Short mmCIF file of all heavy atoms in Angstrom, two decimals:
data_model
loop_
_atom_site.label_atom_id
_atom_site.label_comp_id
_atom_site.label_asym_id
_atom_site.label_seq_id
_atom_site.Cartn_x
_atom_site.Cartn_y
_atom_site.Cartn_z
N LEU Z 1199 -28.58 10.37 -31.64
CA LEU Z 1199 -27.41 9.67 -32.18
C LEU Z 1199 -27.05 10.18 -33.56
O LEU Z 1199 -25.91 10.03 -34.00
CB LEU Z 1199 -27.70 8.17 -32.25
CG LEU Z 1199 -26.82 7.25 -31.40
CD1 LEU Z 1199 -27.24 5.81 -31.56
CD2 LEU Z 1199 -25.35 7.41 -31.76
N ASP Z 1200 -28.02 10.73 -34.25
CA ASP Z 1200 -27.79 11.21 -35.62
C ASP Z 1200 -28.26 12.67 -35.71
O ASP Z 1200 -29.23 12.99 -36.39
CB ASP Z 1200 -28.57 10.33 -36.59
CG ASP Z 1200 -28.03 10.42 -38.01
OD1 ASP Z 1200 -27.06 11.18 -38.23
OD2 ASP Z 1200 -28.57 9.73 -38.89
N PRO Z 1201 -27.58 13.57 -34.99
CA PRO Z 1201 -28.08 14.95 -34.86
C PRO Z 1201 -28.15 15.71 -36.17
O PRO Z 1201 -28.90 16.68 -36.29
CB PRO Z 1201 -27.07 15.60 -33.91
CG PRO Z 1201 -25.84 14.77 -34.02
CD PRO Z 1201 -26.31 13.37 -34.28
N ASP Z 1202 -27.38 15.28 -37.18
CA ASP Z 1202 -27.40 16.00 -38.46
C ASP Z 1202 -28.61 15.64 -39.30
O ASP Z 1202 -28.87 16.25 -40.34
CB ASP Z 1202 -26.12 15.70 -39.26
CG ASP Z 1202 -24.88 16.21 -38.55
OD1 ASP Z 1202 -24.99 17.23 -37.85
OD2 ASP Z 1202 -23.83 15.57 -38.68
N PHE Z 1203 -29.35 14.61 -38.86
CA PHE Z 1203 -30.54 14.20 -39.62
C PHE Z 1203 -31.73 14.17 -38.66
O PHE Z 1203 -32.00 13.16 -38.01
CB PHE Z 1203 -30.34 12.82 -40.25
CG PHE Z 1203 -31.47 12.43 -41.18
CD1 PHE Z 1203 -31.56 12.97 -42.46
CD2 PHE Z 1203 -32.45 11.54 -40.78
CE1 PHE Z 1203 -32.59 12.62 -43.31
CE2 PHE Z 1203 -33.48 11.18 -41.62
CZ PHE Z 1203 -33.56 11.72 -42.90
N ASP Z 1204 -32.39 15.30 -38.54
CA ASP Z 1204 -33.55 15.38 -37.65
C ASP Z 1204 -34.57 16.33 -38.27
O ASP Z 1204 -34.83 17.42 -37.75
CB ASP Z 1204 -33.13 15.87 -36.26
CG ASP Z 1204 -34.28 15.77 -35.25
OD1 ASP Z 1204 -35.21 14.97 -35.50
OD2 ASP Z 1204 -34.25 16.49 -34.24
N PRO Z 1205 -35.14 15.93 -39.40
CA PRO Z 1205 -36.09 16.82 -40.09
C PRO Z 1205 -37.31 17.12 -39.23
O PRO Z 1205 -37.79 16.25 -38.49
CB PRO Z 1205 -36.48 16.01 -41.34
CG PRO Z 1205 -36.17 14.60 -41.00
CD PRO Z 1205 -35.01 14.63 -40.08
N GLU Z 1206 -37.78 18.33 -39.35
CA GLU Z 1206 -39.00 18.70 -38.62
C GLU Z 1206 -40.21 18.00 -39.24
O GLU Z 1206 -40.26 17.78 -40.45
CB GLU Z 1206 -39.19 20.21 -38.62
CG GLU Z 1206 -38.19 20.96 -37.76
CD GLU Z 1206 -38.67 22.36 -37.43
OE1 GLU Z 1206 -39.59 22.86 -38.12
OE2 GLU Z 1206 -38.13 22.96 -36.48
N VAL Z 1207 -41.15 17.68 -38.40
CA VAL Z 1207 -42.38 17.03 -38.86
C VAL Z 1207 -43.56 17.87 -38.38
O VAL Z 1207 -43.76 18.03 -37.17
CB VAL Z 1207 -42.49 15.60 -38.28
CG1 VAL Z 1207 -43.75 14.91 -38.82
CG2 VAL Z 1207 -41.26 14.77 -38.61
N THR Z 1208 -44.31 18.43 -39.29
CA THR Z 1208 -45.48 19.21 -38.90
C THR Z 1208 -46.59 18.27 -38.43
O THR Z 1208 -46.55 17.05 -38.68
CB THR Z 1208 -46.01 20.05 -40.07
OG1 THR Z 1208 -46.52 19.15 -41.08
CG2 THR Z 1208 -44.93 20.93 -40.66
N TYR Z 1209 -47.58 18.83 -37.78
CA TYR Z 1209 -48.71 18.02 -37.32
C TYR Z 1209 -49.43 17.38 -38.50
O TYR Z 1209 -49.86 16.23 -38.43
CB TYR Z 1209 -49.68 18.90 -36.52
CG TYR Z 1209 -50.88 18.15 -35.98
CD1 TYR Z 1209 -50.72 17.19 -34.98
CD2 TYR Z 1209 -52.16 18.39 -36.47
CE1 TYR Z 1209 -51.81 16.49 -34.48
CE2 TYR Z 1209 -53.26 17.70 -35.98
CZ TYR Z 1209 -53.07 16.76 -34.98
OH TYR Z 1209 -54.15 16.06 -34.50
N GLU Z 1210 -49.53 18.12 -39.59
CA GLU Z 1210 -50.20 17.58 -40.78
C GLU Z 1210 -49.42 16.41 -41.37
O GLU Z 1210 -50.01 15.39 -41.75
CB GLU Z 1210 -50.37 18.69 -41.84
CG GLU Z 1210 -51.35 19.79 -41.45
CD GLU Z 1210 -50.86 20.70 -40.34
OE1 GLU Z 1210 -49.60 20.81 -40.16
OE2 GLU Z 1210 -51.70 21.28 -39.62
N GLU Z 1211 -48.09 16.54 -41.44
CA GLU Z 1211 -47.27 15.45 -41.95
C GLU Z 1211 -47.33 14.23 -41.02
O GLU Z 1211 -47.45 13.08 -41.48
CB GLU Z 1211 -45.81 15.92 -42.08
CG GLU Z 1211 -45.60 16.92 -43.20
CD GLU Z 1211 -44.23 17.59 -43.14
OE1 GLU Z 1211 -43.64 17.64 -42.02
OE2 GLU Z 1211 -43.75 18.06 -44.18
N ALA Z 1212 -47.29 14.49 -39.73
CA ALA Z 1212 -47.36 13.41 -38.75
C ALA Z 1212 -48.69 12.68 -38.86
O ALA Z 1212 -48.75 11.44 -38.77
CB ALA Z 1212 -47.19 13.97 -37.34
N SER Z 1213 -49.76 13.43 -39.07
CA SER Z 1213 -51.09 12.84 -39.20
C SER Z 1213 -51.14 11.87 -40.38
O SER Z 1213 -51.72 10.79 -40.29
CB SER Z 1213 -52.14 13.94 -39.38
OG SER Z 1213 -52.16 14.79 -38.26
N ARG Z 1214 -50.51 12.26 -41.50
CA ARG Z 1214 -50.48 11.39 -42.68
C ARG Z 1214 -49.69 10.11 -42.40
O ARG Z 1214 -50.09 9.02 -42.80
CB ARG Z 1214 -49.91 12.13 -43.89
CG ARG Z 1214 -50.86 13.17 -44.47
CD ARG Z 1214 -50.43 13.59 -45.87
NE ARG Z 1214 -49.15 14.29 -45.86
CZ ARG Z 1214 -49.01 15.60 -45.65
NH1 ARG Z 1214 -50.09 16.35 -45.43
NH2 ARG Z 1214 -47.81 16.16 -45.66
N TYR Z 1215 -48.57 10.26 -41.71
CA TYR Z 1215 -47.79 9.08 -41.32
C TYR Z 1215 -48.65 8.09 -40.54
O TYR Z 1215 -48.67 6.89 -40.82
CB TYR Z 1215 -46.60 9.49 -40.44
CG TYR Z 1215 -45.35 9.92 -41.17
CD1 TYR Z 1215 -44.72 11.12 -40.84
CD2 TYR Z 1215 -44.77 9.12 -42.14
CE1 TYR Z 1215 -43.55 11.53 -41.47
CE2 TYR Z 1215 -43.60 9.51 -42.78
CZ TYR Z 1215 -43.00 10.72 -42.45
OH TYR Z 1215 -41.85 11.10 -43.09
N VAL Z 1216 -49.35 8.63 -39.53
CA VAL Z 1216 -50.14 7.77 -38.65
C VAL Z 1216 -51.29 7.11 -39.41
O VAL Z 1216 -51.51 5.90 -39.30
CB VAL Z 1216 -50.68 8.57 -37.44
CG1 VAL Z 1216 -51.61 7.70 -36.59
CG2 VAL Z 1216 -49.53 9.09 -36.58
N LEU Z 1217 -52.01 7.90 -40.19
CA LEU Z 1217 -53.16 7.35 -40.92
C LEU Z 1217 -52.74 6.30 -41.94
O LEU Z 1217 -53.43 5.29 -42.12
CB LEU Z 1217 -53.93 8.49 -41.62
CG LEU Z 1217 -54.66 9.46 -40.67
CD1 LEU Z 1217 -55.31 10.59 -41.48
CD2 LEU Z 1217 -55.70 8.74 -39.84
N ASP Z 1218 -51.61 6.50 -42.58
CA ASP Z 1218 -51.11 5.49 -43.53
C ASP Z 1218 -50.70 4.22 -42.78
O ASP Z 1218 -50.95 3.10 -43.25
CB ASP Z 1218 -49.91 6.03 -44.31
CG ASP Z 1218 -50.31 7.09 -45.33
OD1 ASP Z 1218 -51.52 7.19 -45.63
OD2 ASP Z 1218 -49.42 7.81 -45.82
N ALA Z 1219 -50.09 4.39 -41.62
CA ALA Z 1219 -49.57 3.24 -40.87
C ALA Z 1219 -50.67 2.33 -40.35
O ALA Z 1219 -50.49 1.11 -40.28
CB ALA Z 1219 -48.70 3.73 -39.71
N ILE Z 1220 -51.82 2.90 -39.98
CA ILE Z 1220 -52.86 2.09 -39.34
C ILE Z 1220 -53.90 1.55 -40.34
O ILE Z 1220 -54.89 0.95 -39.93
CB ILE Z 1220 -53.56 2.86 -38.19
CG1 ILE Z 1220 -54.11 4.22 -38.65
CG2 ILE Z 1220 -52.60 3.06 -37.02
CD1 ILE Z 1220 -55.45 4.20 -39.24
N GLN Z 1221 -53.66 1.76 -41.64
CA GLN Z 1221 -54.60 1.24 -42.64
C GLN Z 1221 -54.79 -0.27 -42.50
O GLN Z 1221 -55.87 -0.79 -42.77
CB GLN Z 1221 -54.09 1.56 -44.05
CG GLN Z 1221 -54.21 3.02 -44.44
CD GLN Z 1221 -55.65 3.52 -44.45
OE1 GLN Z 1221 -56.52 2.88 -45.03
NE2 GLN Z 1221 -55.89 4.64 -43.79
N VAL Z 1222 -53.75 -0.97 -42.09
CA VAL Z 1222 -53.83 -2.42 -41.94
C VAL Z 1222 -54.90 -2.85 -40.95
O VAL Z 1222 -55.42 -3.96 -41.01
CB VAL Z 1222 -52.44 -2.99 -41.51
CG1 VAL Z 1222 -52.08 -2.52 -40.10
CG2 VAL Z 1222 -52.43 -4.51 -41.57
N MET Z 1223 -55.30 -1.93 -40.06
CA MET Z 1223 -56.30 -2.26 -39.03
C MET Z 1223 -57.73 -2.21 -39.55
O MET Z 1223 -58.66 -2.55 -38.83
CB MET Z 1223 -56.16 -1.30 -37.83
CG MET Z 1223 -54.79 -1.34 -37.19
SD MET Z 1223 -54.43 -2.92 -36.40
CE MET Z 1223 -55.23 -2.69 -34.83
N GLY Z 1224 -57.92 -1.76 -40.78
CA GLY Z 1224 -59.25 -1.78 -41.37
C GLY Z 1224 -60.00 -0.47 -41.29
O GLY Z 1224 -59.58 0.45 -40.59
N PRO Z 1225 -61.15 -0.38 -41.99
CA PRO Z 1225 -61.86 0.90 -42.13
C PRO Z 1225 -62.45 1.45 -40.84
O PRO Z 1225 -62.45 2.66 -40.63
CB PRO Z 1225 -62.96 0.58 -43.15
CG PRO Z 1225 -63.10 -0.92 -43.12
CD PRO Z 1225 -61.75 -1.44 -42.80
N GLU Z 1226 -63.00 0.59 -39.98
CA GLU Z 1226 -63.63 1.11 -38.75
C GLU Z 1226 -62.59 1.80 -37.87
O GLU Z 1226 -62.81 2.92 -37.37
CB GLU Z 1226 -64.30 -0.03 -37.97
CG GLU Z 1226 -65.03 0.47 -36.72
CD GLU Z 1226 -65.70 -0.64 -35.93
OE1 GLU Z 1226 -65.38 -1.84 -36.16
OE2 GLU Z 1226 -66.55 -0.33 -35.06
N TYR Z 1227 -61.46 1.15 -37.67
CA TYR Z 1227 -60.40 1.72 -36.84
C TYR Z 1227 -59.82 2.98 -37.50
O TYR Z 1227 -59.59 4.00 -36.83
CB TYR Z 1227 -59.30 0.67 -36.64
CG TYR Z 1227 -58.27 1.03 -35.60
CD1 TYR Z 1227 -58.50 0.79 -34.25
CD2 TYR Z 1227 -57.05 1.60 -35.97
CE1 TYR Z 1227 -57.54 1.11 -33.29
CE2 TYR Z 1227 -56.09 1.92 -35.02
CZ TYR Z 1227 -56.34 1.68 -33.68
OH TYR Z 1227 -55.39 2.01 -32.74
N SER Z 1228 -59.60 2.92 -38.81
CA SER Z 1228 -59.03 4.06 -39.53
C SER Z 1228 -59.93 5.29 -39.44
O SER Z 1228 -59.44 6.42 -39.29
CB SER Z 1228 -58.80 3.70 -40.99
OG SER Z 1228 -57.85 2.67 -41.13
N LYS Z 1229 -61.23 5.07 -39.50
CA LYS Z 1229 -62.16 6.20 -39.43
C LYS Z 1229 -62.08 6.90 -38.06
O LYS Z 1229 -62.17 8.13 -37.97
CB LYS Z 1229 -63.59 5.72 -39.69
CG LYS Z 1229 -64.59 6.87 -39.88
CD LYS Z 1229 -65.92 6.34 -40.37
CE LYS Z 1229 -66.86 7.48 -40.76
NZ LYS Z 1229 -67.15 8.39 -39.65
N ILE Z 1230 -61.90 6.12 -37.02
CA ILE Z 1230 -61.75 6.71 -35.67
C ILE Z 1230 -60.51 7.59 -35.64
O ILE Z 1230 -60.53 8.71 -35.11
CB ILE Z 1230 -61.64 5.59 -34.61
CG1 ILE Z 1230 -62.94 4.79 -34.54
CG2 ILE Z 1230 -61.32 6.19 -33.23
CD1 ILE Z 1230 -62.83 3.50 -33.74
N MET Z 1231 -59.40 7.10 -36.20
CA MET Z 1231 -58.16 7.88 -36.23
C MET Z 1231 -58.35 9.19 -37.00
O MET Z 1231 -57.88 10.25 -36.59
CB MET Z 1231 -57.03 7.07 -36.87
CG MET Z 1231 -56.67 5.76 -36.19
SD MET Z 1231 -56.01 5.91 -34.52
CE MET Z 1231 -57.46 5.48 -33.55
N GLU Z 1232 -59.05 9.11 -38.13
CA GLU Z 1232 -59.30 10.31 -38.95
C GLU Z 1232 -60.12 11.33 -38.17
O GLU Z 1232 -59.83 12.53 -38.21
CB GLU Z 1232 -60.02 9.92 -40.24
CG GLU Z 1232 -59.14 9.16 -41.22
CD GLU Z 1232 -59.95 8.59 -42.38
OE1 GLU Z 1232 -61.16 8.91 -42.48
OE2 GLU Z 1232 -59.38 7.82 -43.19
N GLU Z 1233 -61.15 10.86 -37.49
CA GLU Z 1233 -61.98 11.77 -36.70
C GLU Z 1233 -61.15 12.45 -35.62
O GLU Z 1233 -61.28 13.65 -35.37
CB GLU Z 1233 -63.14 11.00 -36.07
CG GLU Z 1233 -64.20 10.55 -37.08
CD GLU Z 1233 -65.30 9.74 -36.41
OE1 GLU Z 1233 -65.32 9.66 -35.18
OE2 GLU Z 1233 -66.14 9.18 -37.15
N GLY Z 1234 -60.30 11.68 -34.96
CA GLY Z 1234 -59.49 12.24 -33.90
C GLY Z 1234 -58.55 13.32 -34.39
O GLY Z 1234 -58.36 14.35 -33.73
N ILE Z 1235 -57.98 13.12 -35.56
CA ILE Z 1235 -57.02 14.08 -36.10
C ILE Z 1235 -57.70 15.33 -36.65
O ILE Z 1235 -57.22 16.45 -36.45
CB ILE Z 1235 -56.17 13.40 -37.20
CG1 ILE Z 1235 -55.16 12.44 -36.54
CG2 ILE Z 1235 -55.47 14.42 -38.09
CD1 ILE Z 1235 -54.47 11.51 -37.51
N HIS Z 1236 -58.82 15.14 -37.31
CA HIS Z 1236 -59.44 16.27 -38.04
C HIS Z 1236 -60.53 17.00 -37.24
O HIS Z 1236 -60.93 18.10 -37.64
CB HIS Z 1236 -60.03 15.78 -39.36
CG HIS Z 1236 -59.01 15.21 -40.29
ND1 HIS Z 1236 -57.88 15.91 -40.68
CD2 HIS Z 1236 -58.93 13.99 -40.92
CE1 HIS Z 1236 -57.15 15.16 -41.50
NE2 HIS Z 1236 -57.76 13.99 -41.66
N ASN Z 1237 -61.02 16.43 -36.16
CA ASN Z 1237 -62.16 17.03 -35.45
C ASN Z 1237 -61.79 17.59 -34.08
O ASN Z 1237 -62.61 17.60 -33.17
CB ASN Z 1237 -63.28 16.00 -35.29
CG ASN Z 1237 -63.89 15.60 -36.62
OD1 ASN Z 1237 -63.62 16.24 -37.64
ND2 ASN Z 1237 -64.69 14.56 -36.63
N ARG Z 1238 -60.54 18.00 -33.93
CA ARG Z 1238 -60.07 18.69 -32.72
C ARG Z 1238 -60.26 17.85 -31.45
O ARG Z 1238 -60.71 18.33 -30.43
CB ARG Z 1238 -60.74 20.05 -32.56
CG ARG Z 1238 -60.21 21.12 -33.52
CD ARG Z 1238 -60.90 22.45 -33.34
NE ARG Z 1238 -60.77 22.93 -31.97
CZ ARG Z 1238 -61.65 23.76 -31.40
NH1 ARG Z 1238 -62.69 24.19 -32.06
NH2 ARG Z 1238 -61.46 24.17 -30.16
N TRP Z 1239 -59.84 16.58 -31.55
CA TRP Z 1239 -59.75 15.77 -30.34
C TRP Z 1239 -58.43 16.06 -29.61
O TRP Z 1239 -58.27 15.71 -28.46
CB TRP Z 1239 -59.78 14.28 -30.68
CG TRP Z 1239 -61.07 13.75 -31.22
CD1 TRP Z 1239 -62.15 14.48 -31.64
CD2 TRP Z 1239 -61.41 12.37 -31.43
NE1 TRP Z 1239 -63.14 13.64 -32.09
CE2 TRP Z 1239 -62.71 12.34 -31.96
CE3 TRP Z 1239 -60.72 11.18 -31.21
CZ2 TRP Z 1239 -63.35 11.14 -32.28
CZ3 TRP Z 1239 -61.36 9.98 -31.52
CH2 TRP Z 1239 -62.66 9.96 -32.05
N VAL Z 1240 -57.46 16.68 -30.33
CA VAL Z 1240 -56.10 16.82 -29.82
C VAL Z 1240 -55.79 18.27 -29.45
O VAL Z 1240 -56.05 19.18 -30.22
CB VAL Z 1240 -55.07 16.35 -30.87
CG1 VAL Z 1240 -53.66 16.33 -30.27
CG2 VAL Z 1240 -55.44 14.96 -31.41
N ASP Z 1241 -55.22 18.46 -28.24
CA ASP Z 1241 -54.76 19.78 -27.81
C ASP Z 1241 -53.24 19.82 -27.96
O ASP Z 1241 -52.52 19.07 -27.30
CB ASP Z 1241 -55.15 20.04 -26.35
CG ASP Z 1241 -55.05 21.51 -26.00
OD1 ASP Z 1241 -53.94 21.99 -25.72
OD2 ASP Z 1241 -56.10 22.18 -26.01
#
């Protein structure tokens, strides 16, 4: 709907978005997310 505004998001930028967003869930949950992003859980 807004084709003139579609900035690219790198995997690293996306990872920061996600990790910041889930901080409300607490340290145990956040640590799992960090491991998934940084330890090659994702193809």
Side-chain angles (χ1 to χ4, degrees):
L1199 242 179
D1200 200 359
D1202 296 329
F1203 187 77
D1204 189 22
E1206 289 198 344
V1207 183
T1208 66
Y1209 180 68
E1210 292 71 24
E1211 290 168 336
S1213 299
R1214 286 196 295 274
Y1215 275 129
V1216 175
L1217 291 177
D1218 288 345
I1220 54 86
Q1221 287 299 311
V1222 67
M1223 301 294 276
E1226 183 180 16
Y1227 191 84
S1228 297
K1229 191 170 188 301
I1230 295 168
M1231 300 295 102
E1232 289 171 7
E1233 289 178 8
I1235 286 168
H1236 299 305
N1237 294 349
R1238 285 180 58 206
W1239 292 11
V1240 187
D1241 197 279

